Each structure stands twice: as C-alpha cells, then as structure tokens.
Amino acid sequence: MKHAFIFGTNIYISEKNTVSYGRNGDLREFLVIRSFFDPQQKDGIRELIVDADFSLTNNEPVKVVHNKIVTGINVNMVCEPDRVKIYHVGHEVPVLDIFQLDRHEFGSFGTIINSELMVQDPDIALTIKGNIKVGEGYISIDNEHLYVDEETFAGAVNNAHHGVIITADQKIA
C-alpha cells in the first residue's frame, strides 16, 4: 500500500505508515498510522487510528495509543472517522492534526502536490499539521511550510522508502 504524507507543500511517498524525526543519526518515531478510514469496509476497523509520541512546545510529554491518550494531562482529542486532532487544553488550534483525504480532494492542492498525487497514485493521502517537539527537535507544519528546528521546507517531493523521516537537513528522508 502506497501512502502520501503531506506536510504543508511537501509530500513524502512511502509504503510504510510511520513518521520519524531524525537528528545526529538518532531517529525517533513519533507517528504511526494504525488503520485508515475506509467507508466501504464491511467488517473490522473503518476509521483512522493513530499512535503518537511527542511533547508539547512546553516539553509536556504526550503519548497516544490507538486514539487514546495514555500520557498528557493537559491534552484532549477529537476523533472523527477520517481525522484525529490533539489539542493542548485551552487552545483552539490543534497541536497535531492528521486528516485523511478522500480521493476527490486530491486535486485541491498546488501544482507540485497535485501532480505528484496523480503520478504516484497513492492508496491513502494524509495531511499533517501541527506544532510539536520530538526529543530536542521542534516541528511545525502549516498550510505551506514544514519547519524543522531552524530550517524551513516548501515544495519538496521525497520518496521515503523506510517510512517518513523528517530532519533539518533532509538528507535521511
């Protein structure tokens, strides 16, 4: 199964369902997609289910297992069949927002992502936005940019053969 992970205007194509942060050769997996939303599924799981392991920007740890908060007293979640949002209590913008696109939504992006989605024809496409820490690293994703530590990325296409690996120098991805 081929997955497209979209961070701002950056797209990673991978057959693996994981997202990790890399720094100085150290990799930390912080997001695993356990299942995808499938309205046609007759038996079994039909919704987007994730595991996540990161910190808020104030260094408070957050751990989610199968869409359930295991660690993090100042966070809450809103889960829909095709979307998972994790909020810092008292804030209106999610610290992590994972949204599975329907196929008819693939064309709603700019030229680079739209072209890549057409060429790669992934089974699943996810947009991911947020503002989190992973270990000592800082990751922020908005509609256009992926910020990793002090670096900014936009308009990149990456084949992520070993799962998505986000780094400030983008050499591991």
Side-chain angles (χ1 to χ4, degrees):
M1 179 178 271
K2 195 183 307 185
H3 312 91
F5 292 88
I6 302 166
F7 303 89
T9 57
N10 301 279
I11 184 168
Y12 291 77
I13 304 296
S14 180
E15 291 185 4
K16 301 212 181 237
N17 60 341
T18 60
V19 180
S20 301
Y21 167 79
R23 183 183 216 172
N24 300 327
D26 180 35
L27 290 179
R28 290 183 184 229
E29 187 176 271
F30 69 91
L31 180 64
V32 178
I33 309 300
R34 292 289 173 202
S35 72
F36 300 98
F37 173 59
D38 183 357
Q40 306 302 316
Q41 179 74 18
K42 301 288 184 218
D43 299 323
I45 300 171
R46 297 175 46 146
E47 72 237 36
L48 179 63
I49 296 178
V50 303
D51 291 354
D53 191 359
F54 62 91
S55 296
L56 301 175
T57 56
N58 67 2
N59 293 319
E60 181 181 334
V62 176
K63 186 167 187 166
V64 173
V65 177
H66 292 265
N67 289 4
K68 305 270 188 265
I69 298 169
V70 175
T71 305
I73 57 172
N74 291 313
V75 293
N76 60 23
M77 291 182 67
V78 175
C79 299
E80 300 170 17
D82 60 352
R83 191 171 207 161
V84 174
K85 295 188 271 188
I86 303 169
Y87 291 90
H88 189 176
V89 172
H91 295 81
E92 293 184 22
V93 176
V95 294
L96 190 60
D97 182 357
I98 304 117
F99 176 58
Q100 181 179 325
L101 298 167
D102 192 301
R103 278 209 171 271
H104 77 275
E105 296 171 306
F106 283 15
S108 64
F109 292 96
T111 307
I112 293 170
I113 291 177
N114 192 24
S115 297
E116 200 63 28
L117 288 171
M118 289 176 62
V119 168
Q120 295 286 345
D121 191 30
D123 300 296
I124 302 294
L126 300 156
T127 62
I128 301 171
K129 296 178 186 167
N131 192 17
I132 62 172
K133 289 185 77 179
V134 179
E136 295 299 314
Y138 172 72
I139 299 170
S140 181
I141 310 150
D142 61 25
N143 287 332
E144 299 201 13
H145 298 93
L146 165 63
Y147 302 92
V148 182
D149 299 329
E150 300 295 320
E151 300 296 324
T152 306
F153 303 93
V157 176
N158 296 284
N159 286 311
H161 301 291
H162 304 290
V164 175
I165 301 171
I166 297 172
T167 66
D169 64 11
Q170 295 294 299
K171 291 180 182 166
I172 301 176

